[in-house]
Amino acid sequence: MKQSAFFADTVKRYPEVKAQKVIVSEAGASVYSASELAAKEFPDLDVSLRGAVSIARRLQDPLAELVKIDPKSIGVGQYQHDVSQTLLAKKLDTVVEDCVNGVGVDLNTASVPLLTRVAGLSQSIAQNIIAWRDENGRFVDRKQLLKVARLGPKAFEQCAGFLRIRDGKNPLDASTVHPEAYPIVENILQSIHQKIDQVMGNSALLSQINAREFVTEQFGLPTINDILKELAKPGRDPRPEFKTATFAEGVETMNDLVSGMILEGTVTNVTNFGAFVDIGVHQDGLVHISSLSDRFVEDPHTVVKTGDIVKVKVLEVDLPRKRIALTMRLDEVAADSDHKRQSVTKDNASKHSRGQKPTRNRQSNTGNNAGNSAMSDALAAAFGKKTLISYRQPSIST
């Protein structure tokens, strides 16, 4: 039964259930389902069912689930296999750890793989945290971390600001405020004669506080300002609002595609020569760089990024080669696209004959110059000259 038919039948059977159809990327799910970790988590489930559970969990909390998979298995770029795998793995690990610390971790629900990515925690300490939680119940105070085996003061100092405890004894334990900064908050409360429950989330009251009055040798003005911002929006998630593309009903395979269709999709990858877009047919389509915008585009990354929801038009469907040509210029037709790309190719060929440098990023990656350019980009990214994933690191920690 097709996905749409199954969804429609389910909604018809249970009209009281308000459901929404969401397509979740299955990249790397097979790697997880065959892993030792999956076998430990679901020893009685078939491999295919483990993968299904992993995909469903990605919808609930993508970060918590994707940390269980080697980032390279998800796909981080067209040329990931052409760079130093050791250096790439190290850089990717750093990016994942930065993202986990930037978002924060719920101490009472986090798994070992997720806790291992928190600053100051090793895999053995993460396992000890889970063991303490299983034996003693949920954490109600950050200070209880010091009771965990092998988690000493230094590790506590590094990890405490990134671990959250919801509905604990101290409301500050659910925020990014580090325990070392709690005395600052207490001084603020005393100065305004208010309790913590009355202050957290009260932006109007907090905006009247003069941060300079609470600066100390240990905590400077930027840290005080960060504390006030956190108190105004406690436990805020720095990740953007969840959005998903609305795929067209009845369009589930390449056979359902017709030239001229206007569809909504999600950008899955951006390269030198364009962007790949998932339109819900199990095969990403390519928006060539010349079809990204009505204006000249030198670098596709300036127009779209991975995860963007975009509207595209189907230009051509090549079933034998499983290729889909798309455009974000909704008034474009296939003939216009072919003519423009041929013009770019002739322009670059002419420049070659005159010994000039070809126009960068205006051709597909078929020539040596384009290949070298792409390789340079990949190496630059591996050496940290380009950001693979961006986030905002909370500064209220030590």
Side-chain angles (χ1 to χ4, degrees), residues 88-155:
L88 178 62
K90 185 183 295 185
K91 291 293 183 181
L92 288 174
D93 282 342
T94 300
V95 168
V96 173
E97 289 173 5
D98 286 347
C99 288
V100 170
N101 292 322
V103 172
V105 172
D106 189 326
L107 186 54
N108 287 310
T109 60
S111 63
V112 170
L114 187 58
L115 287 170
T116 302
R117 298 291 189 171
V118 175
L121 300 183
S122 62
Q123 183 174 356
S124 60
I125 296 179
Q127 290 172 337
N128 291 342
I129 290 175
I130 301 297
W132 192 96
R133 196 172 68 194
D134 291 341
E135 183 179 348
N136 300 280
R138 67 189 304 277
F139 286 88
V140 295
D141 194 315
R142 276 173 170 169
K143 292 180 180 178
Q144 289 179 304
L145 284 166
L146 293 170
K147 298 179 181 179
V148 174
R150 298 183 61 188
L151 200 161
K154 272 293 181 186

Coordinates of all heavy atoms in Angstrom, one line a residue, residues 88-155:
L88 N 38.8 14.3 8.7 CA 37.3 14.5 8.5 C 36.6 14.0 9.7 O 35.7 14.7 10.3 CB 36.8 13.8 7.3 CG 35.3 13.9 7.0 CD1 34.9 15.4 6.8 CD2 34.9 13.1 5.8
A89 N 36.9 12.8 10.2 CA 36.2 12.3 11.4 C 36.4 13.1 12.6 O 35.5 13.4 13.4 CB 36.8 10.8 11.7
K90 N 37.7 13.7 12.8 CA 38.0 14.5 13.9 C 37.1 15.8 13.8 O 36.6 16.3 14.9 CB 39.5 14.8 14.0 CG 39.9 15.6 15.2 CD 41.4 16.0 15.1 CE 42.2 14.7 15.2 NZ 43.7 15.1 15.3
K91 N 37.1 16.4 12.7 CA 36.3 17.7 12.5 C 34.8 17.4 12.7 O 34.1 18.3 13.3 CB 36.6 18.2 11.1 CG 38.0 18.8 10.9 CD 38.3 20.0 11.8 CE 39.7 20.5 11.5 NZ 40.0 21.7 12.4
L92 N 34.3 16.3 12.2 CA 32.9 16.0 12.3 C 32.5 15.8 13.8 O 31.5 16.2 14.3 CB 32.5 14.8 11.5 CG 32.5 15.1 9.9 CD1 32.2 13.8 9.2 CD2 31.4 16.1 9.6
D93 N 33.4 15.1 14.5 CA 33.2 14.8 15.9 C 33.1 16.2 16.7 O 32.3 16.3 17.6 CB 34.3 14.0 16.5 CG 34.1 12.5 16.2 OD1 33.0 12.1 15.8 OD2 35.1 11.7 16.3
T94 N 34.0 17.1 16.3 CA 34.0 18.4 17.0 C 32.7 19.1 16.7 O 32.1 19.7 17.6 CB 35.2 19.2 16.5 OG1 36.4 18.6 16.8 CG2 35.2 20.6 17.1
V95 N 32.2 19.1 15.5 CA 31.0 19.7 15.1 C 29.8 19.2 15.9 O 28.9 19.9 16.4 CB 30.7 19.6 13.6 CG1 29.3 20.1 13.2 CG2 31.7 20.5 12.8
V96 N 29.7 17.8 15.9 CA 28.6 17.2 16.7 C 28.6 17.6 18.1 O 27.6 17.9 18.7 CB 28.7 15.6 16.5 CG1 27.7 14.9 17.4 CG2 28.5 15.2 15.0
E97 N 29.8 17.5 18.7 CA 29.9 17.9 20.2 C 29.5 19.4 20.4 O 28.8 19.7 21.4 CB 31.4 17.7 20.6 CG 31.7 16.2 20.8 CD 33.2 16.0 21.1 OE1 33.9 17.0 21.3 OE2 33.6 14.8 21.1
D98 N 29.9 20.2 19.5 CA 29.5 21.6 19.6 C 28.0 21.8 19.5 O 27.4 22.6 20.2 CB 30.2 22.5 18.5 CG 31.7 22.7 18.7 OD1 32.1 22.4 19.8 OD2 32.4 23.1 17.8
C99 N 27.4 21.0 18.6 CA 25.9 21.1 18.4 C 25.2 20.6 19.7 O 24.2 21.2 20.2 CB 25.5 20.3 17.2 SG 25.9 21.1 15.6
V100 N 25.7 19.5 20.2 CA 25.1 18.9 21.4 C 25.2 19.9 22.6 O 24.2 20.1 23.3 CB 25.7 17.6 21.8 CG1 25.3 17.1 23.2 CG2 25.4 16.5 20.7
N101 N 26.4 20.4 22.8 CA 26.6 21.4 23.9 C 25.8 22.7 23.7 O 25.3 23.3 24.6 CB 28.1 21.7 24.0 CG 28.8 20.5 24.6 OD1 28.4 19.8 25.4 ND2 30.0 20.3 24.0
G102 N 25.6 23.1 22.4 CA 24.9 24.3 22.1 C 23.4 24.1 22.4 O 22.8 25.1 22.9
V103 N 22.9 23.0 22.1 CA 21.4 22.7 22.4 C 21.2 22.4 23.8 O 20.2 22.8 24.4 CB 20.9 21.6 21.5 CG1 19.5 21.2 21.8 CG2 21.0 22.0 20.0
G104 N 22.1 21.6 24.4 CA 21.9 21.1 25.8 C 21.3 19.8 25.8 O 20.7 19.3 24.9
V105 N 21.4 19.1 27.0 CA 21.0 17.7 27.1 C 20.1 17.5 28.4 O 20.5 18.0 29.4 CB 22.2 16.7 27.2 CG1 21.8 15.3 27.5 CG2 23.0 16.8 25.9
D106 N 19.0 16.8 28.2 CA 18.1 16.5 29.3 C 18.8 15.4 30.1 O 18.8 14.2 29.6 CB 16.7 16.1 28.8 CG 15.7 16.0 30.0 OD1 16.1 15.6 31.1 OD2 14.5 16.3 29.8
L107 N 19.2 15.6 31.3 CA 20.0 14.6 32.1 C 19.1 13.4 32.4 O 19.7 12.3 32.6 CB 20.4 15.3 33.4 CG 21.4 14.5 34.3 CD1 22.6 14.0 33.5 CD2 21.8 15.3 35.5
N108 N 17.8 13.5 32.5 CA 17.0 12.4 32.9 C 16.5 11.5 31.7 O 15.8 10.5 31.9 CB 15.8 12.9 33.7 CG 16.3 13.3 35.1 OD1 17.0 12.5 35.8 ND2 15.9 14.5 35.5
T109 N 16.7 11.9 30.5 CA 16.3 11.1 29.3 C 17.4 10.8 28.4 O 17.2 10.0 27.5 CB 15.2 11.9 28.6 OG1 15.7 13.1 28.1 CG2 14.0 12.2 29.4
A110 N 18.6 11.4 28.5 CA 19.7 11.3 27.6 C 20.2 9.8 27.6 O 20.3 9.2 28.6 CB 20.8 12.3 27.9
S111 N 20.6 9.4 26.4 CA 21.2 8.1 26.2 C 22.8 8.2 26.4 O 23.3 9.3 26.4 CB 20.9 7.5 24.8 OG 21.5 8.4 23.8
V112 N 23.4 7.1 26.4 CA 24.9 7.1 26.6 C 25.6 7.8 25.4 O 26.4 8.6 25.6 CB 25.4 5.6 26.7 CG1 27.0 5.6 26.6 CG2 25.0 5.0 28.0
P113 N 25.2 7.5 24.1 CA 25.8 8.2 23.0 C 25.6 9.7 23.1 O 26.6 10.5 22.7 CB 25.1 7.6 21.8 CG 24.6 6.3 22.2 CD 24.2 6.5 23.6
L114 N 24.5 10.2 23.5 CA 24.3 11.6 23.6 C 25.1 12.2 24.8 O 25.7 13.3 24.6 CB 22.8 11.9 23.9 CG 22.3 13.4 23.8 CD1 22.7 14.0 22.5 CD2 20.9 13.5 24.1
L115 N 25.1 11.6 25.9 CA 25.9 12.1 27.1 C 27.4 12.1 26.7 O 28.1 13.0 27.2 CB 25.6 11.2 28.3 CG 24.3 11.4 29.0 CD1 24.0 10.4 30.0 CD2 24.2 12.8 29.6
T116 N 27.8 11.1 25.9 CA 29.2 11.0 25.6 C 29.7 12.3 24.8 O 30.9 12.6 24.9 CB 29.5 9.8 24.8 OG1 29.1 8.6 25.5 CG2 31.0 9.6 24.5
R117 N 28.8 12.9 24.1 CA 29.1 14.1 23.3 C 29.2 15.4 24.2 O 29.5 16.5 23.7 CB 28.1 14.3 22.2 CG 28.1 13.1 21.2 CD 29.3 13.1 20.4 NE 29.2 12.1 19.3 CZ 30.1 12.0 18.3 NH1 31.1 12.8 18.3 NH2 29.9 11.1 17.4
V118 N 28.8 15.3 25.4 CA 28.8 16.5 26.3 C 30.2 16.8 26.8 O 31.0 15.8 27.1 CB 27.9 16.3 27.5 CG1 28.0 17.5 28.5 CG2 26.4 16.2 27.0
A119 N 30.6 18.0 26.8 CA 32.0 18.4 27.3 C 32.3 17.9 28.7 O 31.4 18.0 29.6 CB 32.1 19.9 27.3
G120 N 33.4 17.2 28.8 CA 33.8 16.7 30.1 C 33.4 15.3 30.4 O 33.9 14.7 31.4
L121 N 32.6 14.7 29.6 CA 32.1 13.3 29.8 C 32.6 12.3 28.8 O 32.6 12.6 27.6 CB 30.5 13.3 29.7 CG 29.8 14.2 30.7 CD1 28.3 14.0 30.6 CD2 30.2 13.9 32.2
S122 N 33.2 11.3 29.3 CA 33.7 10.2 28.5 C 32.6 9.1 28.4 O 31.5 9.2 29.1 CB 34.9 9.5 29.1 OG 34.6 9.0 30.4
Q123 N 32.8 8.1 27.6 CA 31.8 7.1 27.5 C 31.5 6.3 28.8 O 30.4 6.0 29.2 CB 32.2 6.1 26.4 CG 31.1 5.0 26.1 CD 31.4 4.1 25.0 OE1 32.4 4.3 24.3 NE2 30.6 3.1 24.7
S124 N 32.6 6.1 29.5 CA 32.5 5.3 30.8 C 31.7 6.2 31.8 O 30.9 5.6 32.5 CB 33.9 5.0 31.3 OG 34.7 6.1 31.5
I125 N 32.0 7.5 31.9 CA 31.3 8.3 32.8 C 29.8 8.4 32.4 O 28.9 8.4 33.2 CB 31.9 9.7 32.9 CG1 33.3 9.7 33.4 CG2 31.0 10.7 33.7 CD1 34.0 11.0 33.5
A126 N 29.5 8.5 31.1 CA 28.2 8.5 30.6 C 27.4 7.3 31.0 O 26.2 7.3 31.4 CB 28.1 8.7 29.1
Q127 N 28.1 6.1 30.9 CA 27.5 4.9 31.3 C 27.2 4.9 32.8 O 26.2 4.3 33.3 CB 28.4 3.7 30.9 CG 28.5 3.4 29.4 CD 29.5 2.4 29.1 OE1 30.5 2.2 29.8 NE2 29.3 1.8 27.9
N128 N 28.1 5.5 33.6 CA 28.0 5.6 35.0 C 26.8 6.4 35.4 O 26.1 6.2 36.4 CB 29.2 6.1 35.7 CG 30.4 5.1 35.6 OD1 30.2 3.9 35.4 ND2 31.6 5.6 35.8
I129 N 26.5 7.5 34.6 CA 25.4 8.4 34.9 C 24.1 7.6 34.6 O 23.1 7.7 35.5 CB 25.4 9.6 33.9 CG1 26.6 10.5 34.3 CG2 24.1 10.4 33.9 CD1 26.8 11.7 33.4
I130 N 24.0 6.8 33.6 CA 22.8 6.0 33.3 C 22.6 5.0 34.4 O 21.5 4.7 34.9 CB 23.0 5.3 31.9 CG1 23.1 6.3 30.8 CG2 21.7 4.4 31.7 CD1 22.0 7.2 30.6
A131 N 23.7 4.4 34.9 CA 23.7 3.4 35.9 C 23.1 4.0 37.2 O 22.3 3.4 37.9 CB 25.0 2.7 36.2
W132 N 23.6 5.2 37.6 CA 23.2 5.9 38.8 C 21.7 6.2 38.7 O 20.9 6.1 39.6 CB 24.0 7.2 39.0 CG 23.8 7.8 40.3 CD1 24.6 7.7 41.4 CD2 22.7 8.7 40.7 NE1 24.1 8.4 42.5 CE2 22.9 9.0 42.1 CE3 21.6 9.2 40.0 CZ2 22.1 9.9 42.8 CZ3 20.8 10.0 40.7 CH2 21.0 10.4 42.1
R133 N 21.3 6.6 37.5 CA 19.9 7.0 37.2 C 19.0 5.8 37.3 O 17.9 5.9 37.9 CB 19.8 7.6 35.8 CG 18.5 8.4 35.6 CD 18.6 9.1 34.3 NE 18.6 8.2 33.1 CZ 18.9 8.6 31.9 NH1 19.3 9.8 31.6 NH2 18.9 7.7 30.9
D134 N 19.4 4.6 36.8 CA 18.6 3.4 36.9 C 18.5 2.9 38.4 O 17.5 2.4 38.7 CB 19.3 2.3 36.1 CG 19.2 2.6 34.6 OD1 18.3 3.4 34.2 OD2 20.0 2.0 33.8
E135 N 19.5 3.2 39.1 CA 19.5 2.7 40.5 C 18.8 3.6 41.5 O 18.1 3.2 42.4 CB 21.0 2.5 41.0 CG 21.1 1.9 42.4 CD 22.5 1.7 42.8 OE1 23.4 1.8 42.0 OE2 22.8 1.4 44.0
N136 N 19.0 4.9 41.3 CA 18.5 5.9 42.2 C 17.3 6.7 41.7 O 16.7 7.5 42.5 CB 19.6 6.9 42.6 CG 20.7 6.2 43.2 OD1 20.7 5.8 44.4 ND2 21.8 5.9 42.4
G137 N 16.9 6.5 40.5 CA 15.8 7.3 40.0 C 16.3 8.6 39.3 O 17.5 8.8 39.2
R138 N 15.4 9.4 38.9 CA 15.8 10.6 38.1 C 16.6 11.6 39.0 O 16.4 11.7 40.2 CB 14.5 11.3 37.6 CG 13.6 11.9 38.6 CD 12.3 12.4 38.0 NE 12.5 13.4 37.0 CZ 12.7 14.7 37.2 NH1 12.7 15.2 38.4 NH2 12.8 15.5 36.2
F139 N 17.4 12.4 38.3 CA 18.2 13.5 39.0 C 17.2 14.6 39.3 O 16.3 15.0 38.5 CB 19.3 14.0 38.0 CG 20.4 13.1 37.9 CD1 20.4 12.1 36.9 CD2 21.5 13.2 38.7 CE1 21.5 11.2 36.7 CE2 22.6 12.3 38.6 CZ 22.6 11.3 37.6
V140 N 17.3 15.2 40.5 CA 16.5 16.3 40.9 C 17.4 17.6 41.2 O 16.9 18.7 41.4 CB 15.6 16.0 42.1 CG1 14.6 14.9 41.8 CG2 16.5 15.6 43.3
D141 N 18.7 17.4 41.1 CA 19.6 18.4 41.4 C 20.9 18.2 40.7 O 21.4 17.1 40.7 CB 19.9 18.5 43.0 CG 20.6 19.8 43.4 OD1 21.6 20.2 42.7 OD2 20.2 20.4 44.4
R142 N 21.5 19.2 40.1 CA 22.8 19.1 39.4 C 23.9 18.6 40.3 O 24.8 17.9 39.9 CB 23.2 20.4 38.7 CG 22.5 20.7 37.4 CD 22.9 22.0 36.9 NE 22.4 22.3 35.5 CZ 22.4 23.4 34.9 NH1 22.8 24.5 35.6 NH2 22.0 23.5 33.6
K143 N 23.9 18.9 41.6 CA 24.9 18.5 42.5 C 25.0 17.0 42.7 O 26.0 16.4 43.1 CB 24.7 19.2 43.8 CG 24.9 20.7 43.8 CD 24.7 21.3 45.2 CE 24.9 22.8 45.2 NZ 24.6 23.4 46.5
Q144 N 23.9 16.3 42.3 CA 23.9 14.9 42.4 C 24.8 14.2 41.5 O 25.2 13.1 41.6 CB 22.4 14.3 42.2 CG 21.4 14.6 43.3 CD 20.1 14.1 43.0 OE1 19.5 14.4 41.9 NE2 19.5 13.3 43.8
L145 N 25.2 15.0 40.4 CA 26.2 14.4 39.5 C 27.5 14.1 40.2 O 28.2 13.2 39.7 CB 26.5 15.5 38.4 CG 25.4 15.6 37.3 CD1 25.6 16.9 36.5 CD2 25.4 14.4 36.4
L146 N 27.8 14.8 41.2 CA 29.1 14.5 42.0 C 29.0 13.2 42.7 O 30.1 12.7 43.2 CB 29.3 15.6 43.0 CG 29.7 17.0 42.4 CD1 29.7 18.1 43.4 CD2 31.0 17.0 41.6
K147 N 27.9 12.5 42.8 CA 27.7 11.2 43.4 C 28.0 10.1 42.4 O 28.1 8.9 42.7 CB 26.4 11.0 44.0 CG 26.0 12.0 45.1 CD 24.6 11.8 45.7 CE 24.3 12.8 46.8 NZ 22.9 12.6 47.3
V148 N 28.1 10.5 41.1 CA 28.3 9.5 40.0 C 29.8 9.0 40.0 O 30.7 9.9 40.2 CB 27.9 10.1 38.7 CG1 28.3 9.1 37.5 CG2 26.4 10.4 38.6
A149 N 30.0 7.8 39.9 CA 31.4 7.2 39.9 C 32.2 7.9 38.8 O 31.8 8.0 37.7 CB 31.3 5.7 39.8
R150 N 33.4 8.3 39.2 CA 34.4 8.8 38.3 C 34.1 10.2 37.8 O 34.8 10.7 36.9 CB 34.7 7.9 37.1 CG 35.2 6.5 37.6 CD 35.5 5.6 36.4 NE 36.6 6.2 35.5 CZ 36.9 5.8 34.3 NH1 36.3 4.7 33.9 NH2 37.8 6.3 33.6
L151 N 33.0 10.8 38.2 CA 32.7 12.2 37.8 C 33.1 13.1 38.9 O 32.4 13.4 39.9 CB 31.2 12.3 37.5 CG 30.7 13.5 36.6 CD1 29.3 13.2 36.0 CD2 30.8 14.8 37.3
G152 N 34.3 13.6 38.8 CA 34.9 14.5 39.8 C 34.6 16.0 39.6 O 33.8 16.4 38.6
P153 N 35.1 16.8 40.4 CA 34.8 18.3 40.3 C 35.2 18.9 39.0 O 34.5 19.8 38.5 CB 35.7 18.9 41.4 CG 35.9 17.8 42.4 CD 35.9 16.5 41.6
K154 N 36.3 18.4 38.4 CA 36.7 19.0 37.1 C 35.7 18.7 36.0 O 35.3 19.5 35.2 CB 38.1 18.5 36.7 CG 39.3 19.3 37.2 CD 39.3 20.7 36.5 CE 40.4 21.5 37.0 NZ 40.3 22.9 36.5
A155 N 35.3 17.4 35.9 CA 34.3 17.0 34.9 C 33.0 17.7 35.2 O 32.3 18.1 34.2 CB 34.1 15.5 35.0

